[in-house]
Amino acid sequence: MLLIFILIHYITLASARASLQQDEYCFVACQQILRGVRFNNTAPKTGQPWPACGNELEFTSLYLCNKLYCTDDERRRGIDGLNERCRRFYNATAPPYSLIDGFTGDEILELHHLEVGELNREAPSIHNEVLVPSKELYGLAWDTLDAAYFELDIHIIYGFAMYYFWVAVVSIGVISRLIRLGLNSMSPMQAWQEIPSDPHIENSVAKRIYHPYTMLKRYITVPATFGFTHAQNIKWCTVPTRIQSIAIAAFVISNIVLCSVSYHVFEDNLYWPNVSTQVWRYVADRTGIISTANLALIWAFGIRNNTLLWLTGWNFATYNNFHRWVARVATVEAVVHSVAYTVLIFENGTWSAAWQVYADYYQSRWFVAGVLATVFMVGVCAFSVYPLRRKLYEIFLFLHIVLSILILATMWYHVEIFNGDYSGFIWPCVFIWTFDRLSRIARMLLFNRRFWNTQAQVTYDSTSNIIRLVVPYSTSFIKPPPGTFYFISVLNDRIWESHPFTLSYSTSNDTSSPSSSLGTITPPSRPSSLSRSRGNSSESQTLLSPSQSETPPASMVFIIRPYNGFTSRLRSHANSSSTRVLIEGPYGETQPFEKYRNVLFIVGGTGIAVPLSYMDTLLKSSSTTSIKVIWAVREHQFLHDAIIRDFRGAIGSEKLSLEAYITNDSGVEEIKDDLGLKVRIGRPDVFQEVEEAARESGGRPLAVVACGPGLMADETRRAFVQMLERGYGNVEYFEESFNW
Ligand SMILES: Cc1cc2nc3c(=O)[nH]c(=O)nc-3n(C[C@H](O)[C@H](O)[C@H](O)COP(=O)(O)OP(=O)(O)OC[C@H]3O[C@@H](n4cnc5c(N)ncnc54)[C@H](O)[C@@H]3O)c2cc1C
Ligand SMILES: NC(=O)c1ccc[n+]([C@@H]2O[C@H](COP(=O)([O-])OP(=O)(O)OC[C@H]3O[C@@H](n4cnc5c(N)ncnc54)[C@H](OP(=O)(O)O)[C@@H]3O)[C@@H](O)[C@H]2O)c1
Ligand SMILES: *[C@@H]1O[C@H](CO)[C@@H](O)[C@H](O)[C@H]1NC(C)=O
Ligand SMILES: *[C@@H]1O[C@H](CO)[C@@H](O)[C@H](O)[C@H]1NC(C)=O
Ligand SMILES: *[C@@H]1O[C@H](CO)[C@@H](O)[C@H](O)[C@H]1NC(C)=O
Ligand SMILES: *[C@@H]1O[C@H](CO)[C@@H](O)[C@H](O)[C@H]1NC(C)=O
Ligand SMILES: *[C@@H]1O[C@H](CO)[C@@H](O)[C@H](O)[C@H]1NC(C)=O
Ligand SMILES: *[C@@H]1O[C@H](CO)[C@@H](O)[C@H](O)[C@H]1NC(C)=O
């Protein structure tokens, strides 16, 4: 998609831009020099003003300059162009070139030769004679044009460099994804090397850890930038992973470099005599253009339906990081752009004169629009700070959208004066946004053509503080894939709010066995010891028998923790018979966990949705022999309900073992193992669990999947990296985040 937009850019810009070629400089340089003087406008013979396009002094001087410095061809084309303009604007023809036929070489040498100091565009001196530029002055004029047009081109080339940069980054992503897919299909992940048990492992470490892919995971792709804080925030900051930081840093550095190099400045430039003025001017244009070029990237990375997501397999959070950083860089560039132009206004002349100029600028729409665009860009960054995003998500989103529209509108009016030279940078944002909105509608329609009529069943249990949302999916074009998430809005109130929720599981469309799609699993008959906690022996039976759940067939189930906004209002819809929801999805990717021999889930609270989502696939997979779920859960009731309703008999499977850690239930003592189910009190020791799983995997492929509070995910990430250090190169880490 990005490539397509680059193409559109090229076409738009190539057709819109009329850059000056080097072989046109000569003629234009002569014209430019003569703009610095004025010729007497009274014709000596008639005493009348010269007719338009007919001042002989001026044209003689121009033609002599051409004769001295230009080739015949350059001159001819220049005069043709001039004549064209005379005809168009004054219905007149310029005097013929033969005007200077009478001048001999010696006579020309005798003429007044203009020097640099004689030019003054603000207050030109009036001449009664023919003038020719000195060689030095002509050289300066040529250099002036050369520098100015070089800068104009290089600004745009560097603007495009931003797209090439991300094309390169994304290509790396696509290639590594293809390599991974290729490797997986060639040698399945079961190809493993037996790792000796612990005492000897250290010996084989050297052999395994230096495997390039392991090294990559160990040092680049998995760890957070500094240490292991990734899922958690540090004060107002979120920390990207190392690989993301490398991409972001490279982007920031290339922006700084491209905004600081390739400035051709020199004294006595005909446009801006001072070097500092030239620098400010070029910096202003460079930052302005690169900032404008970056806009399309901000939109491309910020949307839900980002084609790059499935090209690279990187998740939304990764692109969200890119989105933020490109936006920050673009905003800084916009600010530099504005400051530089302000400096230019105030640079020469007194303050009061500068204020006058400034006030005059405020009369023009493009100027006001530019100032507003910078203000809005700063505003959108300021209103995206972490606390606002977290605490007042809806307000953040509202401001984000409104300010984004304002930015596009003001940017449009700001670049309008360039006759379409730069609107090629604005259009892609509009296209991308429209594409995203249309895709969202398409996804809604694909889920249910009669999108207004999806009746959901909402139940809330106050003991477990969990909402269960059951949505029929029979209208959907595709069966809900595991591990994906859906955006949900409630039609009955605040329809514009849509929130992401991970699909916990879906029931099959087969009405004959409504409770479970795992009909083959035989319920265990052994009594459970969980009962001890409640002193009630019937509970155990309930726990381990296949659920007689009331979940209707062909339904998706979402397990939702109510917070303060949307989710708390959803809670109030519980038991209401007519909760109609808008479902937009699926989003996200199904991970190939079923290819791993061992899968370890480390989840907290509603993070249980992730293992539940993959449960059917994993139980059916012939490659997977062991699924272990470590679940930290605050409410005993939540565990109880989940086992009865959501595991749908899976607990009885030999493959699955669930270790639940109840973190707030003083009433329960520690409970011993039971077939596939262990219940413990207190928080799980994440590191120990990962270590144990790695050891038990004995070097066979192991997927470690984390979905829980930030600290938990970060601890898992750290444990995983340490396992790599110990030589377990066949371990892979996955994180499903509930925060962006
Ligand atoms: C990919 C993904 C999957 C998720 N799956 C589940 C799930 O299965 N079960 C579950 O209980 N929760 C899940 N969540 C979290 C859920 O989206 C939020 O709890 C919910 O949006 C909070 O809404 P609220 O208005 O009640 O929260 P608030 O009290 O307003 O905010 C609570 C938190 O949710 C964040 N949040 C609010 N709205 C959004 C939004 N539209 N998008 C992203 N974050 C938001 C806020 O930043 C804040 O940190 C998931 C989140 C993501 C990103
Ligand atoms: N407001 C939000 O930002 C928001 C909204 C929705 C979902 N989420 C995320 O969704 C996930 C689940 O949400 P939830 O509300 O269902 O969670 P929850 O009820 O708070 O459950 C989290 C469980 O994980 C345990 N835990 C936390 N850190 C741990 C650690 N380092 N090691 C071991 N156990 C740990 C907790 O134990 P203790 O009881 O001892 O803390 C608790 O039992 C979390 O990632 C949560 O952050 C966040
Ligand atoms: C311009 O030319 C006319 C006629 O040759 C002359 O009278 C007049 O003084 C000139 N003006 C200037 C400003 O030199
Ligand atoms: C242009 O000038 C010619 C004479 O020089 C005249 O005949 C013609 O009407 C003019 N055209 C316009 C559009 O003024
Ligand atoms: C259930 O879905 C399968 C495909 O997943 C389809 O072949 C079958 O016809 C569906 N059955 C019913 C009753 O809709
Ligand atoms: C078990 O619990 C049920 C209700 O939850 C209760 O009716 C029954 O008496 C309890 N049995 C024992 C042995 O405590
Ligand atoms: C919903 O109904 C169930 C029983 O059907 C009840 O236990 C629960 O309290 C009700 N919840 C609300 C929010 O009304
Ligand atoms: C534990 O649960 C009880 C109610 O069951 C609640 O009052 C208490 O605040 C909870 N403690 C924590 C630390 O969440």
Side-chain angles (χ1 to χ4, degrees):
M1 198 173 73
L2 202 66
L3 280 171
I4 294 171
F5 282 119
I6 288 180
L7 226 76
I8 293 176
H9 270 275
Y10 253 127
I11 296 161
T12 328
L13 287 172
S15 58
R17 277 181 53 71
S19 178
L20 201 61
Q21 302 299 310
Q22 276 203 348
D23 61 4
E24 293 168 279
Y25 288 174
C26 171
F27 192 82
V28 178
C30 288
Q31 284 183 309
Q32 180 62 32
I33 291 166
L34 295 180
R35 271 184 208 128
V37 295
R38 188 154 297 160
F39 292 95
N40 189 335
N41 201 31
T42 311
K45 287 170 205 149
T46 62
Q48 299 293 313
W50 291 110
C53 274
N55 190 323
E56 275 181 24
L57 289 177
E58 186 181 345
F59 275 89
T60 312
S61 304
L62 176 65
Y63 291 165
L64 285 173
C65 175
N66 295 163
K67 184 184 167 79
L68 284 176
Y69 302 111
C70 308
T71 66
D72 286 351
D73 191 45
E74 286 170 349
R75 186 226 329 139
R76 214 170 294 127
R77 272 185 292 126
I79 294 177
D80 284 352
L82 188 64
N83 246 322
E84 178 57 38
R85 251 165 288 142
C86 283
R87 211 175 356 261
R88 178 136 37 101
F89 294 115
Y90 305 109
N91 190 21
T93 37
Y97 186 61
S98 56
L99 193 65
I100 58 162
D101 279 355
F103 285 88
T104 64
D106 286 346
E107 277 173 322
I108 294 173
L109 280 180
E110 294 297 306
L111 291 171
H112 180 158
H113 278 58
L114 274 176
E115 294 300 335
V116 183
E118 294 177 74
L119 302 184
N120 186 343
R121 287 189 64 177
E122 265 70 54
S125 52
I126 297 179
H127 295 260
N128 281 302
E129 52 178 345
V130 170
L131 307 167
V132 286
S134 72
K135 210 173 173 63
E136 189 204 359
L137 178 58
Y138 171 77
L140 281 171
W142 201 93
D143 288 347
T144 300
L145 290 171
D146 191 44
Y149 283 95
F150 167 79
E151 294 297 341
L152 260 183
D153 285 342
I154 207 79
H155 295 334
I156 291 194
I157 289 170
Y158 286 174
F160 275 110
M162 298 303 136
Y163 303 125
Y164 294 125
F165 175 89
W166 286 107
V167 167
V169 170
V170 166
S171 304
I172 293 172
V174 172
I175 291 168
S176 62
R177 184 177 167 90
L178 288 178
I179 291 176
R180 238 176 307 141
L181 287 177
L183 285 182
N184 286 355
S185 61
M186 267 163 27
S187 61
M189 274 175 252
Q190 276 65 32
W192 49 275
Q193 248 178 302
E194 183 82 53
I195 283 199
S197 54
D198 237 1
H200 311 286
I201 271 183
E202 309 304 331
N203 303 330
S204 63
V205 162
K207 216 168 50 203
R208 311 199 100 254
I209 193 155
Y210 294 117
H211 188 282
Y213 182 52
T214 312
M215 293 287 279
L216 202 64
K217 281 192 288 187
R218 162 68 187 86
Y219 292 105
I220 307 289
T221 57
V222 177
T225 311
F226 318 101
F228 296 92
T229 308
H230 169 62
Q232 304 165 89
N233 54 300
I234 301 179
K235 298 239 161 64
W236 284 15
C237 305
T238 47
V239 188
T241 62
R242 227 168 258 179
I243 180 90
Q244 289 169 17
S245 291
I246 290 172
I248 291 167
F251 176 73
V252 173
I253 289 170
S254 40
N255 269 270
I256 293 173
V257 169
L258 293 187
C259 284
S260 350
V261 298
S262 310
Y263 290 117
H264 286 189
V265 294
F266 52 89
E267 290 283 345
D268 293 326
N269 180 304
L270 257 56
Y271 289 162
W272 312 284
N274 297 332
V275 168
S276 72
T277 317
Q278 293 164 49
V279 170
W280 278 116
R281 172 60 197 239
Y282 293 146
V283 166
D285 289 352
R286 180 78 58 83
T287 47
I289 289 171
I290 295 185
S291 173
T292 313
N294 277 331
L295 287 183
L297 293 166
I298 303 176
W299 263 265
F301 294 155
I303 56 173
R304 284 184 192 173
N305 293 280
N306 184 347
T307 325
L308 304 172
L309 282 176
W310 57 259
L311 277 180
T312 53
W314 298 336
N315 59 11
F316 185 86
T318 306
Y319 281 102
N320 204 14
N321 265 323
F322 295 160
H323 165 81
R324 287 179 206 163
W325 277 97
V326 177
R328 285 168 193 161
V329 168
T331 304
V332 170
E333 284 163 351
V335 169
V336 173
H337 172 78
S338 305
V339 168
Y341 266 110
T342 310
V343 169
L344 281 172
I345 290 172
F346 283 84
E347 198 190 31
N348 33 37
T350 60
W351 278 76
S352 61
W355 272 118
Q356 191 52 48
V357 176
Y358 211 65
D360 286 347
Y361 270 126
Y362 264 97
Q363 305 296 318
S364 41
R365 186 166 66 177
W366 66 271
F367 187 84
V368 177
V371 172
L372 287 178
T374 304
V375 170
F376 291 146
M377 282 176 84
V378 171
V380 93
C381 282
F383 288 129
S384 304
V385 290
Y386 186 83
L388 191 68
R389 228 162 56 214
R390 275 296 127 82
K391 299 250 159 58
L392 301 167
Y393 186 86
E394 297 306 325
I395 291 174
F396 150 78
L397 190 66
F398 176 76
L399 288 173
H400 219 68
I401 292 174
V402 169
L403 288 174
S404 302
I405 293 172
L406 289 175
I407 287 170
L408 285 187
T410 48
M411 278 305 288
W412 175 260
Y413 285 118
H414 183 57
V415 301
E416 194 189 30
I417 50 159
F418 298 106
N419 307 318
D421 278 11
Y422 306 108
S423 25
F425 287 125
I426 311 291
W427 278 119
C429 304
V430 180
F431 292 152
I432 291 169
W433 211 352
T434 314
F435 167 80
D436 184 49
R437 292 285 155 171
L438 291 179
S439 308
R440 286 172 62 172
I441 293 172
R443 281 189 198 257
M444 256 175 227
L445 291 176
L446 284 177
F447 185 81
N448 189 353
R449 263 183 317 120
R450 300 165 71 217
F451 60 87
W452 61 90
N453 204 19
T454 311
Q455 299 278 352
Q457 185 189 318
V458 186
T459 51
Y460 171 70
D461 181 81
S462 56
T463 330
S464 58
N465 189 25
I466 284 292
I467 300 168
R468 242 165 263 260
L469 180 70
V470 181
V471 184
Y473 69 81
S474 53
T475 52
S476 169
F477 268 76
I478 47 170
K479 190 176 184 305
T484 54
F485 60 93
Y486 288 77
F487 284 93
I488 298 177
S489 329
V490 175
L491 270 174
N492 311 39
D493 83 321
R494 300 211 201 166
I495 180 177
W496 60 87
E497 279 198 26
S498 81
H499 291 254
F501 296 100
T502 305
L503 168 71
S504 288
Y505 57 94
S506 55
T507 53
S508 84
N509 63 1
D510 185 0
T511 38
S512 63
S513 67
S515 60
S516 166
S517 51
L518 307 167
T520 50
I521 291 156
T522 46
S525 50
R526 272 201 278 155
S528 162
S529 49
L530 183 68
S531 55
R532 264 184 253 148
S533 67
R534 298 285 178 203
N536 190 319
S537 59
S538 68
E539 193 183 25
S540 63
Q541 220 49 39
T542 340
L543 272 180
L544 293 178
S545 55
S547 67
Q548 298 306 308
S549 130
E550 55 276 37
T551 309
S555 295
M556 308 192 291
V557 178
F558 298 92
I559 296 178
I560 298 170
R561 170 80 66 200
Y563 284 88
N564 301 323
F566 173 83
T567 45
S568 85
R569 271 177 281 116
L570 187 63
R571 177 176 54 196
S572 68
H573 282 277
N575 291 0
S576 127
S577 56
S578 63
T579 309
R580 285 182 297 146
V581 289
L582 268 184
I583 305 283
E584 181 193 328
Y587 284 95
E589 241 193 308
T590 304
Q591 303 288 357
F593 297 143
E594 76 280 0
K595 292 197 179 141
Y596 290 81
R597 192 176 175 109
N598 305 288
V599 185
L600 170 69
F601 289 97
I602 301 213
V603 297
T606 47
I608 193 66
V610 174
L612 285 174
S613 192
Y614 286 98
M615 199 52 73
D616 284 9
T617 327
L618 289 179
L619 288 176
K620 282 187 197 129
S621 160
S622 53
S623 315
T624 308
T625 56
S626 136
I627 311 159
K628 190 165 183 186
V629 180
I630 308 294
W631 182 22
V633 53
R634 219 163 261 166
E635 306 83 0
H636 184 274
Q637 186 65 31
F638 188 7
L639 168 66
H640 182 264
D641 290 351
I643 290 172
I644 289 187
R645 306 183 52 161
D646 307 319
F647 275 92
R648 295 166 295 146
I651 303 285
S653 162
E654 302 224 313
K655 283 187 188 180
L656 175 69
S657 68
L658 170 64
E659 260 178 48
Y661 287 81
I662 295 175
T663 54
N664 176 22
D665 197 325
S666 41
V668 194
E669 45 191 277
E670 183 150 345
I671 299 145
K672 287 283 168 291
D673 302 20
D674 188 70
L675 190 104
L677 171 67
K678 291 182 195 172
V679 180
R680 299 265 187 277
I681 304 298
R683 283 187 173 191
D685 183 339
V686 171
F687 181 84
Q688 200 186 313
E689 298 293 349
V690 175
E691 187 185 37
E692 194 182 305
R695 198 170 39 232
E696 281 171 7
S697 78
R700 296 176 188 87
L702 165 69
V704 178
V705 187
C707 181
L711 177 61
M712 191 182 214
D714 286 342
E715 281 176 0
T716 315
R717 186 179 287 274
R718 168 182 230 136
F720 163 73
V721 169
Q722 296 194 358
M723 288 311 113
L724 289 182
E725 276 173 1
R726 295 200 189 169
Y728 296 102
N730 253 340
V731 186
E732 208 69 56
Y733 178 67
F734 299 85
E735 187 175 298
E736 301 288 334
S737 169
F738 278 8
N739 283 317
W740 286 324

